[in-house]
């Protein structure tokens, strides 16, 4: 069963990757046809760009987050917990790093499983208890287990290339003057067509990448429940992370697909609830208790606007993630949950 579910994850990932690259291949063919250039130039250029992003990506993450690698023995509990869960997962123990950020968040990045880094924010260590941090660690190790960060690095380059082509073509159209001469008119039309096609491909490929990103979060959540044997700890952690991120005045980080929680989505989720606080405050005591907040999140998650907005989100709504973990928790209580059913509820 677990192999079947992993096969389903790989199939879904493969379909998304195929769609992205197929659409992108058609895009390159169309652009090269418009400009009457050999297709091989575009293919080689795109591959070099993806390779460049793969090689330089980890360095950009390090520099932009200002993370600091832990020295051996600096945080014995965190080091031993990561080592224990990594050994249980059958993966190399990742390097540990601390990000000087007061928001509760964590992420993994790297080029291979062997050189992966697990980075946690200072805010996560301060605002979450040890069991909740353990749940977050299990989630991040799930990403390493599934090689998600490698897939997302390759996929994310495609919309970026399409956007760059579209933007450059659009800017060229803005500053170019239509010419009545045949050659000038043809170049102007080609640039306009490239801009339109580029933006269309950018949106479609971005939707495919976002879908893959949301799916990988669900699988990492389920894996955390299995490896820690405590889905409730991640449930609690996700609630605290969402609330904590919603209070942050900082703009979302450019690499937010890497994080366990998306600040942009967290702000949207909590702001909608706060805006309609009186409606969700059932006992009229001026405070949303745990049950009222749960009902509010459930109702918000079912709204048409939220569902549409989720298409452009890197993460599933928090309530959907918590529901999955509660299903797993109920099965664990019956004693029927085994390693063969890790992904049975996705």
């Amino acid at each position: 069963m677990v192999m079947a579910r992993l096969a389903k994850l790989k199939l879904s990932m493969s379909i998304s990757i195929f769609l992205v690259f197929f659409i992108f291949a058609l895009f390159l063919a169309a652009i090269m046809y418009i400009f009457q250039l050999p297709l091989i130039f575009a293919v080689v250029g795109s591959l070099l760009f993806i390779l460049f992003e793969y090689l330089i990506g980890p360095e950009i993450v390090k520099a932009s987050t200002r993370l600091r690698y832990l020295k051996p023995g600096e945080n014995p509990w965190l080091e031993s917990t990561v080592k224990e869960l990594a050994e249980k997962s059958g993966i190399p123990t990742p390097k540990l790093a601390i990000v000087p950020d007061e928001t509760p968040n964590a992420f993994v990045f790297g080029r291979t499983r062997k050189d992966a880094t697990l980075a946690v924010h200072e805010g996560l260590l301060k605002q979450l208890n040890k069991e909740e941090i353990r749940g977050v660690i299990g989630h991040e190790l799930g990403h390493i287990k599934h090689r998600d960060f490698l897939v997302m690095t390759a996929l994310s380059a495609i919309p970026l290339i399409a956007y760059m082509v579209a933007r450059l073509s659009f800017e060229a159209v803005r500053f170019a003057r239509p010419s009545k001469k045949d050659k000038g008119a043809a170049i102007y039309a080609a640039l306009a067509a490239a801009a339109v096609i580029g933006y269309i491909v950018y949106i479609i490929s971005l939707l495919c990448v976002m879908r893959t990103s949301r799916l990988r979060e669900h699988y990492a959540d389920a894996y955390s429940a299995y490896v820690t044997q405590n889905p409730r700890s991640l449930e609690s952690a996700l609630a605290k992370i969402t609330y904590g991120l919603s209070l942050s005045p900082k703009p979302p980080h450019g690499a937010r697909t890497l994080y366990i929680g998306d600040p942009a989505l967290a702000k949207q989720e909590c702001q909608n609830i706060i805006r309609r606080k009186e409606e969700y405050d059932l006992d009229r005591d001026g405070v949303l208790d745990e049950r009222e907040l749960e009902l509010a999140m459930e109702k918000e998650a079912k709204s048409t606007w939220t569902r549409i907005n989720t298409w452009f989100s890197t993460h599933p709504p928090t309530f959907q993630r918590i529901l999955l973990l509660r299903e797993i928790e109920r099965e664990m209580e019956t004693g029927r949950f085994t390693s063969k059913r890790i992904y049975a509820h996705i």
Side-chain angles (χ1 to χ4, degrees):
M1 177 67 75
V2 66
M3 292 304 295
R5 289 291 174 172
L6 276 173
K8 181 182 176 183
L9 172 61
K10 292 178 180 178
L11 177 62
S12 181
M13 290 284 190
S14 299
I15 290 174
S16 295
I17 293 172
F18 172 77
L19 285 174
V20 172
F21 279 96
F22 178 71
I23 293 170
F24 187 66
L26 293 179
F27 168 67
L28 291 181
I31 295 300
M32 293 301 103
Y33 176 79
I34 289 172
F35 291 106
Q36 296 295 302
L37 296 172
L39 181 60
I40 189 65
F41 290 169
V43 173
V44 172
S46 298
L47 291 176
L48 288 175
F49 182 85
I50 294 173
L51 178 62
F52 176 75
E53 186 179 67
Y54 169 76
L55 294 175
I56 200 173
E59 301 307 318
I60 293 176
V61 172
K62 292 176 187 177
S64 62
T65 58
R66 297 180 293 112
L67 61 78
R68 173 183 62 82
Y69 282 96
L70 282 182
K71 299 176 182 178
E74 184 175 344
N75 191 326
W77 177 82
L78 184 62
E79 294 170 47
S80 62
T81 300
V82 172
K83 183 178 180 180
E84 173 207 339
L85 295 179
E87 289 177 350
K88 185 175 181 180
S89 301
I91 59 176
T93 301
K95 291 174 284 188
L96 283 172
I98 300 294
V99 178
D101 192 313
E102 292 302 315
T103 59
N105 226 330
F107 59 95
V108 291
F109 68 95
R111 299 184 184 90
T112 65
R113 279 181 175 178
K114 291 182 178 180
D115 80 338
T117 293
L118 193 165
V120 296
H121 283 201
E122 290 179 350
L124 186 88
L125 298 177
K126 293 177 181 178
Q127 299 177 36
L128 274 61
N129 62 41
K130 288 186 175 181
E131 284 304 311
E132 291 165 343
I133 295 172
R134 186 180 173 88
V136 170
I137 292 171
H139 171 97
E140 297 304 332
L141 293 181
H143 283 314
I144 298 176
K145 181 82 172 178
H146 304 145
R147 294 186 174 89
D148 290 331
F149 55 93
L150 301 178
V151 174
M152 294 309 298
T153 296
L155 281 183
S156 297
I158 303 302
L160 181 58
I161 294 174
Y163 178 79
M164 290 171 61
V165 171
R167 189 67 190 178
L168 289 173
S169 299
F170 177 74
E171 292 299 326
V173 169
R174 280 184 60 195
F175 293 103
R177 292 184 179 181
S179 174
K180 293 182 180 180
K181 297 181 179 179
D182 292 342
K183 188 174 182 180
I187 293 175
Y188 188 85
L191 289 171
V196 172
I197 294 173
Y199 278 120
I200 292 174
V201 170
Y202 166 69
I203 293 173
I204 295 175
S205 60
L206 183 64
L207 288 173
C208 291
V209 172
M210 293 297 186
R211 178 186 179 277
T212 304
S213 180
R214 293 193 300 274
L215 180 64
R216 75 189 182 93
E217 293 300 328
H218 279 310
Y219 274 86
D221 287 344
Y223 187 79
S224 174
Y226 159 72
V227 78
T228 64
Q229 290 295 297
N230 186 7
R232 188 180 293 270
S233 65
L234 185 56
E235 291 175 33
S236 177
L238 288 173
K240 286 186 178 181
I241 288 171
T242 300
Y243 180 73
L245 292 177
S246 72
L247 300 177
S248 174
K250 295 181 179 180
H253 192 276
R256 66 181 191 267
T257 54
L258 297 176
Y259 289 90
I260 186 173
D262 178 11
L265 181 61
K267 288 180 184 295
Q268 176 196 316
E269 288 185 290
C270 291
Q271 286 173 357
N272 288 346
I273 292 173
I274 293 173
R275 193 179 301 119
R276 302 169 64 183
K277 181 179 177 181
E278 292 185 3
E279 176 185 342
Y280 296 130
D281 186 13
L282 303 179
D283 57 10
R284 299 293 184 265
D285 64 351
V287 178
L288 294 180
D289 58 30
E290 184 177 349
R291 178 57 179 166
E292 290 168 340
L293 186 59
E294 177 185 325
L295 293 173
M297 292 176 69
E298 180 178 8
K299 189 170 182 178
E300 289 293 332
K302 291 180 179 178
S303 72
T304 302
W305 172 249
T306 299
R307 287 200 297 269
I308 293 175
N309 193 61
T310 299
W311 297 348
F312 294 91
S313 175
T314 57
H315 293 61
T318 304
F319 184 77
Q320 289 183 4
R321 299 173 71 177
I322 290 176
L323 275 183
L324 170 65
L325 291 165
R326 286 181 179 173
E327 287 181 12
I328 295 174
E329 183 181 4
R330 283 193 290 270
E331 184 169 334
M332 281 186 174
E333 290 172 352
T334 65
R336 293 185 292 107
F337 186 82
T338 65
S339 61
K340 296 182 179 181
R341 293 185 55 80
I342 300 175
Y343 310 106
H345 295 274
I346 299 176

